[in-house]
Amino acid sequence: MKNNIKFSFLSIILTFLFVGCGSYNDYREYLNHMPKSILILPPTNSSVEPKASYQFLSTITRPVAEAGYYVFPVAVVEQMMKDNGLPTAQEMHNVSLKKIEEIFDADAVLYINISQWGKAYRIIESATEVSFQYHLVDVKSGKTLWQHEAHARYSSNGNNTDLASLLISAIATHIIESAADIDHSRNLAIEANHNSINHKKRGLLKGQRHPRHSEDQEFHINRQREQ
Amino acid sequence: MILSNMKYLLLCLPLIFASCRTEPALYDWGQYETSIYRFFEENDTYNIQEEIDTLSREVSSDLANNKLPPPGLCMHLGYLFSLENNQTMAIKYFELEKKHFSESQVFVDGILKRIANKKMKNEK
């Protein structure tokens, strides 16, 4: 082989399917029902990987809390719901907002669905892809405050362009990653969550515990006024 | 051996990403999210006492530095204590969560009430 095969674990390619990247969200409802606390429920999972739900759940607390919100402990919430006869995420998502208010007194619920998680095999590429859909709902009114779609992808290819290298790289990566049980999905989820929540024009507003909360509120209220 | 450690090494990648952020973080996250991951993974290697020790140290360290522990960490730790049937410590950490995060009050009070009711039932 001419070239050394680089197992470029550092060549992370993130793509985000944001239609109209330049436009702001309509934050009116969000501003009118600004939540202090967010209940994040275990995600529903329509991907092929059953482990996706709990792996995802271990990545979502941090970015939402760092955005300035109180986040209920996800593992405790999950176990509590299971102990109370709700074995699946879908059943947990079906709990009435009234019940949620009664038990948690959360201001908003973040519902997530995972539609893609894990390896997507293409002949010359071993890629890992994740896709999520988020819905933030106000508990008292039931209104959707925020919704978002995220997609992230990691490719084993790095900067290879010749076909033979690509093929060998894909096979070798697959062998090594399977043997080591390396799954980049969780790391992709961390990046995707961070970017979704902190997106300048379409992310979460800064919560009350964030130092820039007032500044952020003022900015968005003024923006909405100008429209 | 190296390969199985690789998995946990990759779990540390977010620390590298985290260092790229320009704003200082509100909280020190330590092992909390990794602890959540391990909790759900249902591995034979899951050692609840080790988790308790690690997270207890982190909470103590945060408090010693006048820093709030991350939201939910104290409750998660309290929950682990309850799984080990250490209700006293569980209650201590639930109360700590409530103290630092008033948003958790209704949830915590509900759990404390259930613990108290269970205790009453057991004593009858």
Side-chain angles (χ1 to χ4, degrees), chain A residues 18 27 62-64 66-68 146 148 190-206 210 212, chain B residues 21 23:
Chain A
F18 294 153
Y27 284 111
R62 180 172 177 161
V64 178
E66 287 289 334
W146 179 75
H148 203 81
I190 289 167
E191 273 299 294
N193 284 334
H194 178 87
N195 289 322
S196 299
I197 283 154
N198 293 298
H199 193 286
K200 275 211 123 116
K201 295 179 173 179
R202 313 244 283 262
L204 288 183
L205 296 178
K206 297 296 178 218
H210 195 280
R212 288 194 286 109
Chain B
R21 310 291 171 238
E23 265 180 336

PDB file of all heavy atoms in Angstrom, chain A residues 18 27 62-64 66-68 146 148 190-206 210 212, chain B residues 21 23:
ATOM      1  N   PHE A  18     -30.465  22.139   8.642  1.00  0.00           N
ATOM      2  CA  PHE A  18     -31.268  23.290   9.047  1.00  0.00           C
ATOM      3  C   PHE A  18     -31.706  23.989   7.778  1.00  0.00           C
ATOM      4  O   PHE A  18     -30.885  24.514   7.050  1.00  0.00           O
ATOM      5  CB  PHE A  18     -30.458  24.259   9.895  1.00  0.00           C
ATOM      6  CG  PHE A  18     -30.046  23.698  11.230  1.00  0.00           C
ATOM      7  CD1 PHE A  18     -28.913  24.169  11.858  1.00  0.00           C
ATOM      8  CD2 PHE A  18     -30.791  22.716  11.860  1.00  0.00           C
ATOM      9  CE1 PHE A  18     -28.532  23.658  13.094  1.00  0.00           C
ATOM     10  CE2 PHE A  18     -30.408  22.201  13.092  1.00  0.00           C
ATOM     11  CZ  PHE A  18     -29.262  22.687  13.708  1.00  0.00           C
ATOM     12  N   TYR A  27     -39.893  33.166  18.680  1.00  0.00           N
ATOM     13  CA  TYR A  27     -39.774  32.866  20.104  1.00  0.00           C
ATOM     14  C   TYR A  27     -40.916  33.424  20.947  1.00  0.00           C
ATOM     15  O   TYR A  27     -40.826  33.457  22.181  1.00  0.00           O
ATOM     16  CB  TYR A  27     -38.443  33.419  20.640  1.00  0.00           C
ATOM     17  CG  TYR A  27     -37.234  32.584  20.259  1.00  0.00           C
ATOM     18  CD1 TYR A  27     -36.290  33.057  19.356  1.00  0.00           C
ATOM     19  CD2 TYR A  27     -37.032  31.320  20.829  1.00  0.00           C
ATOM     20  CE1 TYR A  27     -35.173  32.300  19.030  1.00  0.00           C
ATOM     21  CE2 TYR A  27     -35.920  30.559  20.508  1.00  0.00           C
ATOM     22  CZ  TYR A  27     -34.992  31.055  19.606  1.00  0.00           C
ATOM     23  OH  TYR A  27     -33.887  30.300  19.284  1.00  0.00           O
ATOM     24  N   ARG A  62     -26.528  17.937  30.526  1.00  0.00           N
ATOM     25  CA  ARG A  62     -25.512  18.989  30.592  1.00  0.00           C
ATOM     26  C   ARG A  62     -25.814  20.210  29.742  1.00  0.00           C
ATOM     27  O   ARG A  62     -25.827  21.334  30.257  1.00  0.00           O
ATOM     28  CB  ARG A  62     -24.156  18.381  30.247  1.00  0.00           C
ATOM     29  CG  ARG A  62     -23.028  19.369  30.295  1.00  0.00           C
ATOM     30  CD  ARG A  62     -21.718  18.634  30.123  1.00  0.00           C
ATOM     31  NE  ARG A  62     -20.605  19.582  30.102  1.00  0.00           N
ATOM     32  CZ  ARG A  62     -19.345  19.250  30.335  1.00  0.00           C
ATOM     33  NH1 ARG A  62     -19.040  17.996  30.599  1.00  0.00           N
ATOM     34  NH2 ARG A  62     -18.414  20.159  30.310  1.00  0.00           N
ATOM     35  N   PRO A  63     -26.078  20.052  28.420  1.00  0.00           N
ATOM     36  CA  PRO A  63     -26.291  21.274  27.631  1.00  0.00           C
ATOM     37  C   PRO A  63     -27.533  22.060  28.076  1.00  0.00           C
ATOM     38  O   PRO A  63     -27.523  23.299  28.046  1.00  0.00           O
ATOM     39  CB  PRO A  63     -26.451  20.772  26.195  1.00  0.00           C
ATOM     40  CG  PRO A  63     -26.710  19.316  26.290  1.00  0.00           C
ATOM     41  CD  PRO A  63     -26.133  18.837  27.567  1.00  0.00           C
ATOM     42  N   VAL A  64     -28.589  21.368  28.498  1.00  0.00           N
ATOM     43  CA  VAL A  64     -29.801  22.090  28.913  1.00  0.00           C
ATOM     44  C   VAL A  64     -29.545  22.818  30.237  1.00  0.00           C
ATOM     45  O   VAL A  64     -29.943  23.979  30.406  1.00  0.00           O
ATOM     46  CB  VAL A  64     -31.017  21.138  29.031  1.00  0.00           C
ATOM     47  CG1 VAL A  64     -32.261  21.880  29.498  1.00  0.00           C
ATOM     48  CG2 VAL A  64     -31.293  20.461  27.696  1.00  0.00           C
ATOM     49  N   GLU A  66     -26.604  23.807  31.332  1.00  0.00           N
ATOM     50  CA  GLU A  66     -25.644  24.886  31.048  1.00  0.00           C
ATOM     51  C   GLU A  66     -26.309  26.055  30.347  1.00  0.00           C
ATOM     52  O   GLU A  66     -25.790  27.174  30.369  1.00  0.00           O
ATOM     53  CB  GLU A  66     -24.466  24.366  30.225  1.00  0.00           C
ATOM     54  CG  GLU A  66     -23.503  23.488  31.023  1.00  0.00           C
ATOM     55  CD  GLU A  66     -22.666  24.273  32.033  1.00  0.00           C
ATOM     56  OE1 GLU A  66     -22.443  25.482  31.800  1.00  0.00           O
ATOM     57  OE2 GLU A  66     -22.262  23.689  33.060  1.00  0.00           O
ATOM     58  N   ALA A  67     -27.486  25.809  29.736  1.00  0.00           N
ATOM     59  CA  ALA A  67     -28.231  26.908  29.118  1.00  0.00           C
ATOM     60  C   ALA A  67     -29.000  27.694  30.187  1.00  0.00           C
ATOM     61  O   ALA A  67     -29.651  28.677  29.869  1.00  0.00           O
ATOM     62  CB  ALA A  67     -29.193  26.364  28.059  1.00  0.00           C
ATOM     63  N   GLY A  68     -28.927  27.244  31.441  1.00  0.00           N
ATOM     64  CA  GLY A  68     -29.508  28.013  32.538  1.00  0.00           C
ATOM     65  C   GLY A  68     -30.807  27.474  33.107  1.00  0.00           C
ATOM     66  O   GLY A  68     -31.540  28.197  33.781  1.00  0.00           O
ATOM     67  N   TRP A 146     -40.618  25.345  21.633  1.00  0.00           N
ATOM     68  CA  TRP A 146     -39.412  25.193  20.807  1.00  0.00           C
ATOM     69  C   TRP A 146     -39.409  23.824  20.172  1.00  0.00           C
ATOM     70  O   TRP A 146     -39.753  22.842  20.832  1.00  0.00           O
ATOM     71  CB  TRP A 146     -38.186  25.377  21.711  1.00  0.00           C
ATOM     72  CG  TRP A 146     -36.840  25.238  21.080  1.00  0.00           C
ATOM     73  CD1 TRP A 146     -36.217  26.151  20.272  1.00  0.00           C
ATOM     74  CD2 TRP A 146     -35.922  24.140  21.213  1.00  0.00           C
ATOM     75  NE1 TRP A 146     -34.962  25.691  19.914  1.00  0.00           N
ATOM     76  CE2 TRP A 146     -34.754  24.459  20.485  1.00  0.00           C
ATOM     77  CE3 TRP A 146     -35.966  22.922  21.899  1.00  0.00           C
ATOM     78  CZ2 TRP A 146     -33.650  23.607  20.396  1.00  0.00           C
ATOM     79  CZ3 TRP A 146     -34.866  22.073  21.828  1.00  0.00           C
ATOM     80  CH2 TRP A 146     -33.720  22.411  21.073  1.00  0.00           C
ATOM     81  N   HIS A 148     -37.000  21.432  17.226  1.00  0.00           N
ATOM     82  CA  HIS A 148     -35.725  21.433  16.524  1.00  0.00           C
ATOM     83  C   HIS A 148     -35.420  20.050  15.984  1.00  0.00           C
ATOM     84  O   HIS A 148     -35.902  19.056  16.510  1.00  0.00           O
ATOM     85  CB  HIS A 148     -34.639  21.838  17.522  1.00  0.00           C
ATOM     86  CG  HIS A 148     -33.417  22.399  16.892  1.00  0.00           C
ATOM     87  ND1 HIS A 148     -33.322  23.704  16.482  1.00  0.00           N
ATOM     88  CD2 HIS A 148     -32.231  21.834  16.593  1.00  0.00           C
ATOM     89  CE1 HIS A 148     -32.131  23.919  15.982  1.00  0.00           C
ATOM     90  NE2 HIS A 148     -31.449  22.801  16.036  1.00  0.00           N
ATOM     91  N   ILE A 190     -23.527  14.196  21.807  1.00  0.00           N
ATOM     92  CA  ILE A 190     -23.053  15.297  22.649  1.00  0.00           C
ATOM     93  C   ILE A 190     -22.880  16.557  21.810  1.00  0.00           C
ATOM     94  O   ILE A 190     -23.335  17.643  22.183  1.00  0.00           O
ATOM     95  CB  ILE A 190     -21.739  14.903  23.355  1.00  0.00           C
ATOM     96  CG1 ILE A 190     -22.026  13.853  24.434  1.00  0.00           C
ATOM     97  CG2 ILE A 190     -21.050  16.125  23.971  1.00  0.00           C
ATOM     98  CD1 ILE A 190     -20.798  13.157  24.991  1.00  0.00           C
ATOM     99  N   GLU A 191     -22.214  16.404  20.656  1.00  0.00           N
ATOM    100  CA  GLU A 191     -22.004  17.555  19.776  1.00  0.00           C
ATOM    101  C   GLU A 191     -23.320  18.085  19.233  1.00  0.00           C
ATOM    102  O   GLU A 191     -23.559  19.293  19.221  1.00  0.00           O
ATOM    103  CB  GLU A 191     -21.103  17.185  18.590  1.00  0.00           C
ATOM    104  CG  GLU A 191     -19.631  17.331  18.864  1.00  0.00           C
ATOM    105  CD  GLU A 191     -19.186  18.754  19.219  1.00  0.00           C
ATOM    106  OE1 GLU A 191     -19.267  19.648  18.352  1.00  0.00           O
ATOM    107  OE2 GLU A 191     -18.780  18.968  20.370  1.00  0.00           O
ATOM    108  N   ALA A 192     -24.187  17.185  18.771  1.00  0.00           N
ATOM    109  CA  ALA A 192     -25.465  17.599  18.179  1.00  0.00           C
ATOM    110  C   ALA A 192     -26.335  18.309  19.206  1.00  0.00           C
ATOM    111  O   ALA A 192     -26.951  19.343  18.915  1.00  0.00           O
ATOM    112  CB  ALA A 192     -26.199  16.397  17.589  1.00  0.00           C
ATOM    113  N   ASN A 193     -26.383  17.769  20.425  1.00  0.00           N
ATOM    114  CA  ASN A 193     -27.182  18.407  21.478  1.00  0.00           C
ATOM    115  C   ASN A 193     -26.648  19.797  21.783  1.00  0.00           C
ATOM    116  O   ASN A 193     -27.400  20.757  21.904  1.00  0.00           O
ATOM    117  CB  ASN A 193     -27.167  17.569  22.764  1.00  0.00           C
ATOM    118  CG  ASN A 193     -28.070  16.358  22.661  1.00  0.00           C
ATOM    119  OD1 ASN A 193     -29.036  16.356  21.897  1.00  0.00           O
ATOM    120  ND2 ASN A 193     -27.776  15.321  23.412  1.00  0.00           N
ATOM    121  N   HIS A 194     -25.332  19.877  21.935  1.00  0.00           N
ATOM    122  CA  HIS A 194     -24.724  21.169  22.237  1.00  0.00           C
ATOM    123  C   HIS A 194     -25.050  22.193  21.154  1.00  0.00           C
ATOM    124  O   HIS A 194     -25.451  23.320  21.434  1.00  0.00           O
ATOM    125  CB  HIS A 194     -23.218  21.035  22.398  1.00  0.00           C
ATOM    126  CG  HIS A 194     -22.554  22.341  22.666  1.00  0.00           C
ATOM    127  ND1 HIS A 194     -22.412  22.864  23.929  1.00  0.00           N
ATOM    128  CD2 HIS A 194     -22.045  23.270  21.819  1.00  0.00           C
ATOM    129  CE1 HIS A 194     -21.828  24.052  23.849  1.00  0.00           C
ATOM    130  NE2 HIS A 194     -21.587  24.325  22.588  1.00  0.00           N
ATOM    131  N   ASN A 195     -24.870  21.791  19.899  1.00  0.00           N
ATOM    132  CA  ASN A 195     -25.108  22.728  18.801  1.00  0.00           C
ATOM    133  C   ASN A 195     -26.583  23.103  18.638  1.00  0.00           C
ATOM    134  O   ASN A 195     -26.902  24.236  18.296  1.00  0.00           O
ATOM    135  CB  ASN A 195     -24.542  22.164  17.502  1.00  0.00           C
ATOM    136  CG  ASN A 195     -23.017  22.170  17.513  1.00  0.00           C
ATOM    137  OD1 ASN A 195     -22.400  23.093  18.025  1.00  0.00           O
ATOM    138  ND2 ASN A 195     -22.411  21.131  16.986  1.00  0.00           N
ATOM    139  N   SER A 196     -27.481  22.154  18.891  1.00  0.00           N
ATOM    140  CA  SER A 196     -28.913  22.438  18.782  1.00  0.00           C
ATOM    141  C   SER A 196     -29.337  23.437  19.845  1.00  0.00           C
ATOM    142  O   SER A 196     -30.048  24.403  19.581  1.00  0.00           O
ATOM    143  CB  SER A 196     -29.742  21.162  18.981  1.00  0.00           C
ATOM    144  OG  SER A 196     -29.434  20.214  18.001  1.00  0.00           O
ATOM    145  N   ILE A 197     -28.888  23.173  21.082  1.00  0.00           N
ATOM    146  CA  ILE A 197     -29.325  23.989  22.210  1.00  0.00           C
ATOM    147  C   ILE A 197     -28.699  25.378  22.171  1.00  0.00           C
ATOM    148  O   ILE A 197     -29.316  26.367  22.552  1.00  0.00           O
ATOM    149  CB  ILE A 197     -29.037  23.227  23.520  1.00  0.00           C
ATOM    150  CG1 ILE A 197     -30.108  22.145  23.685  1.00  0.00           C
ATOM    151  CG2 ILE A 197     -29.013  24.146  24.735  1.00  0.00           C
ATOM    152  CD1 ILE A 197     -29.688  20.962  24.495  1.00  0.00           C
ATOM    153  N   ASN A 198     -27.470  25.461  21.690  1.00  0.00           N
ATOM    154  CA  ASN A 198     -26.763  26.740  21.674  1.00  0.00           C
ATOM    155  C   ASN A 198     -26.792  27.459  20.330  1.00  0.00           C
ATOM    156  O   ASN A 198     -26.110  28.474  20.161  1.00  0.00           O
ATOM    157  CB  ASN A 198     -25.315  26.529  22.105  1.00  0.00           C
ATOM    158  CG  ASN A 198     -25.229  26.109  23.552  1.00  0.00           C
ATOM    159  OD1 ASN A 198     -25.622  26.838  24.449  1.00  0.00           O
ATOM    160  ND2 ASN A 198     -24.773  24.898  23.777  1.00  0.00           N
ATOM    161  N   HIS A 199     -27.582  26.963  19.399  1.00  0.00           N
ATOM    162  CA  HIS A 199     -27.687  27.600  18.088  1.00  0.00           C
ATOM    163  C   HIS A 199     -28.078  29.058  18.264  1.00  0.00           C
ATOM    164  O   HIS A 199     -29.046  29.367  18.953  1.00  0.00           O
ATOM    165  CB  HIS A 199     -28.733  26.862  17.236  1.00  0.00           C
ATOM    166  CG  HIS A 199     -28.706  27.238  15.797  1.00  0.00           C
ATOM    167  ND1 HIS A 199     -29.185  28.444  15.325  1.00  0.00           N
ATOM    168  CD2 HIS A 199     -28.248  26.567  14.711  1.00  0.00           C
ATOM    169  CE1 HIS A 199     -29.023  28.485  14.014  1.00  0.00           C
ATOM    170  NE2 HIS A 199     -28.463  27.370  13.614  1.00  0.00           N
ATOM    171  N   LYS A 200     -27.355  29.973  17.660  1.00  0.00           N
ATOM    172  CA  LYS A 200     -27.556  31.398  17.911  1.00  0.00           C
ATOM    173  C   LYS A 200     -28.951  31.880  17.573  1.00  0.00           C
ATOM    174  O   LYS A 200     -29.503  32.718  18.265  1.00  0.00           O
ATOM    175  CB  LYS A 200     -26.559  32.218  17.087  1.00  0.00           C
ATOM    176  CG  LYS A 200     -25.205  32.370  17.771  1.00  0.00           C
ATOM    177  CD  LYS A 200     -24.525  33.681  17.426  1.00  0.00           C
ATOM    178  CE  LYS A 200     -24.220  34.447  18.695  1.00  0.00           C
ATOM    179  NZ  LYS A 200     -22.850  34.655  18.976  1.00  0.00           N
ATOM    180  N   LYS A 201     -29.518  31.348  16.489  1.00  0.00           N
ATOM    181  CA  LYS A 201     -30.814  31.862  16.068  1.00  0.00           C
ATOM    182  C   LYS A 201     -31.977  30.902  16.334  1.00  0.00           C
ATOM    183  O   LYS A 201     -33.130  31.285  16.264  1.00  0.00           O
ATOM    184  CB  LYS A 201     -30.773  32.182  14.571  1.00  0.00           C
ATOM    185  CG  LYS A 201     -29.808  33.315  14.260  1.00  0.00           C
ATOM    186  CD  LYS A 201     -29.749  33.607  12.778  1.00  0.00           C
ATOM    187  CE  LYS A 201     -28.898  34.852  12.536  1.00  0.00           C
ATOM    188  NZ  LYS A 201     -28.774  35.173  11.118  1.00  0.00           N
ATOM    189  N   ARG A 202     -31.656  29.637  16.578  1.00  0.00           N
ATOM    190  CA  ARG A 202     -32.728  28.656  16.693  1.00  0.00           C
ATOM    191  C   ARG A 202     -32.571  27.749  17.915  1.00  0.00           C
ATOM    192  O   ARG A 202     -33.219  26.722  17.992  1.00  0.00           O
ATOM    193  CB  ARG A 202     -32.740  27.800  15.417  1.00  0.00           C
ATOM    194  CG  ARG A 202     -32.652  28.675  14.163  1.00  0.00           C
ATOM    195  CD  ARG A 202     -33.873  28.540  13.348  1.00  0.00           C
ATOM    196  NE  ARG A 202     -33.846  27.292  12.615  1.00  0.00           N
ATOM    197  CZ  ARG A 202     -33.464  27.186  11.356  1.00  0.00           C
ATOM    198  NH1 ARG A 202     -33.063  28.242  10.691  1.00  0.00           N
ATOM    199  NH2 ARG A 202     -33.470  26.016  10.761  1.00  0.00           N
ATOM    200  N   GLY A 203     -31.716  28.150  18.825  1.00  0.00           N
ATOM    201  CA  GLY A 203     -31.475  27.307  19.991  1.00  0.00           C
ATOM    202  C   GLY A 203     -32.421  27.634  21.139  1.00  0.00           C
ATOM    203  O   GLY A 203     -33.409  28.354  20.975  1.00  0.00           O
ATOM    204  N   LEU A 204     -32.122  27.076  22.312  1.00  0.00           N
ATOM    205  CA  LEU A 204     -32.902  27.409  23.496  1.00  0.00           C
ATOM    206  C   LEU A 204     -32.547  28.836  23.920  1.00  0.00           C
ATOM    207  O   LEU A 204     -31.410  29.272  23.738  1.00  0.00           O
ATOM    208  CB  LEU A 204     -32.557  26.469  24.656  1.00  0.00           C
ATOM    209  CG  LEU A 204     -33.038  25.024  24.589  1.00  0.00           C
ATOM    210  CD1 LEU A 204     -32.659  24.274  25.865  1.00  0.00           C
ATOM    211  CD2 LEU A 204     -34.538  24.955  24.384  1.00  0.00           C
ATOM    212  N   LEU A 205     -33.506  29.524  24.495  1.00  0.00           N
ATOM    213  CA  LEU A 205     -33.204  30.816  25.096  1.00  0.00           C
ATOM    214  C   LEU A 205     -32.399  30.550  26.365  1.00  0.00           C
ATOM    215  O   LEU A 205     -32.460  29.462  26.921  1.00  0.00           O
ATOM    216  CB  LEU A 205     -34.509  31.548  25.441  1.00  0.00           C
ATOM    217  CG  LEU A 205     -35.400  31.932  24.253  1.00  0.00           C
ATOM    218  CD1 LEU A 205     -36.680  32.595  24.731  1.00  0.00           C
ATOM    219  CD2 LEU A 205     -34.659  32.839  23.274  1.00  0.00           C
ATOM    220  N   LYS A 206     -31.648  31.557  26.806  1.00  0.00           N
ATOM    221  CA  LYS A 206     -30.866  31.369  28.022  1.00  0.00           C
ATOM    222  C   LYS A 206     -31.809  31.382  29.223  1.00  0.00           C
ATOM    223  O   LYS A 206     -32.591  32.310  29.390  1.00  0.00           O
ATOM    224  CB  LYS A 206     -29.830  32.500  28.172  1.00  0.00           C
ATOM    225  CG  LYS A 206     -28.781  32.539  27.069  1.00  0.00           C
ATOM    226  CD  LYS A 206     -27.911  31.297  27.082  1.00  0.00           C
ATOM    227  CE  LYS A 206     -26.898  31.302  25.960  1.00  0.00           C
ATOM    228  NZ  LYS A 206     -26.678  29.996  25.348  1.00  0.00           N
ATOM    229  N   HIS A 210     -28.704  31.329  33.851  1.00  0.00           N
ATOM    230  CA  HIS A 210     -27.586  31.692  32.987  1.00  0.00           C
ATOM    231  C   HIS A 210     -27.225  33.159  33.205  1.00  0.00           C
ATOM    232  O   HIS A 210     -28.112  34.011  33.276  1.00  0.00           O
ATOM    233  CB  HIS A 210     -27.944  31.435  31.515  1.00  0.00           C
ATOM    234  CG  HIS A 210     -26.752  31.448  30.620  1.00  0.00           C
ATOM    235  ND1 HIS A 210     -26.164  32.603  30.164  1.00  0.00           N
ATOM    236  CD2 HIS A 210     -26.017  30.433  30.111  1.00  0.00           C
ATOM    237  CE1 HIS A 210     -25.119  32.295  29.418  1.00  0.00           C
ATOM    238  NE2 HIS A 210     -25.009  30.984  29.362  1.00  0.00           N
ATOM    239  N   ARG A 212     -26.239  35.356  31.230  1.00  0.00           N
ATOM    240  CA  ARG A 212     -26.699  36.266  30.178  1.00  0.00           C
ATOM    241  C   ARG A 212     -28.208  36.214  29.978  1.00  0.00           C
ATOM    242  O   ARG A 212     -28.720  36.664  28.946  1.00  0.00           O
ATOM    243  CB  ARG A 212     -25.988  35.959  28.859  1.00  0.00           C
ATOM    244  CG  ARG A 212     -24.513  36.390  28.880  1.00  0.00           C
ATOM    245  CD  ARG A 212     -23.887  36.410  27.496  1.00  0.00           C
ATOM    246  NE  ARG A 212     -23.598  35.104  26.955  1.00  0.00           N
ATOM    247  CZ  ARG A 212     -24.252  34.532  25.943  1.00  0.00           C
ATOM    248  NH1 ARG A 212     -25.242  35.164  25.341  1.00  0.00           N
ATOM    249  NH2 ARG A 212     -23.914  33.337  25.517  1.00  0.00           N
TER     250      ARG A 212
ATOM    251  N   ARG B  21     -15.020  25.588  24.329  1.00  0.00           N
ATOM    252  CA  ARG B  21     -16.058  26.584  24.595  1.00  0.00           C
ATOM    253  C   ARG B  21     -15.415  27.834  25.163  1.00  0.00           C
ATOM    254  O   ARG B  21     -14.473  27.779  25.904  1.00  0.00           O
ATOM    255  CB  ARG B  21     -17.070  26.037  25.604  1.00  0.00           C
ATOM    256  CG  ARG B  21     -17.609  24.681  25.271  1.00  0.00           C
ATOM    257  CD  ARG B  21     -18.502  24.679  24.047  1.00  0.00           C
ATOM    258  NE  ARG B  21     -18.827  23.322  23.649  1.00  0.00           N
ATOM    259  CZ  ARG B  21     -18.561  22.804  22.446  1.00  0.00           C
ATOM    260  NH1 ARG B  21     -17.996  23.507  21.522  1.00  0.00           N
ATOM    261  NH2 ARG B  21     -18.905  21.553  22.194  1.00  0.00           N
ATOM    262  N   GLU B  23     -17.261  30.298  26.903  1.00  0.00           N
ATOM    263  CA  GLU B  23     -17.891  30.717  28.144  1.00  0.00           C
ATOM    264  C   GLU B  23     -17.547  29.745  29.255  1.00  0.00           C
ATOM    265  O   GLU B  23     -17.577  28.545  29.034  1.00  0.00           O
ATOM    266  CB  GLU B  23     -19.418  30.717  27.967  1.00  0.00           C
ATOM    267  CG  GLU B  23     -19.967  32.055  27.587  1.00  0.00           C
ATOM    268  CD  GLU B  23     -21.485  32.013  27.418  1.00  0.00           C
ATOM    269  OE1 GLU B  23     -22.030  30.936  27.158  1.00  0.00           O
ATOM    270  OE2 GLU B  23     -22.095  33.068  27.546  1.00  0.00           O
TER     271      GLU B  23
END
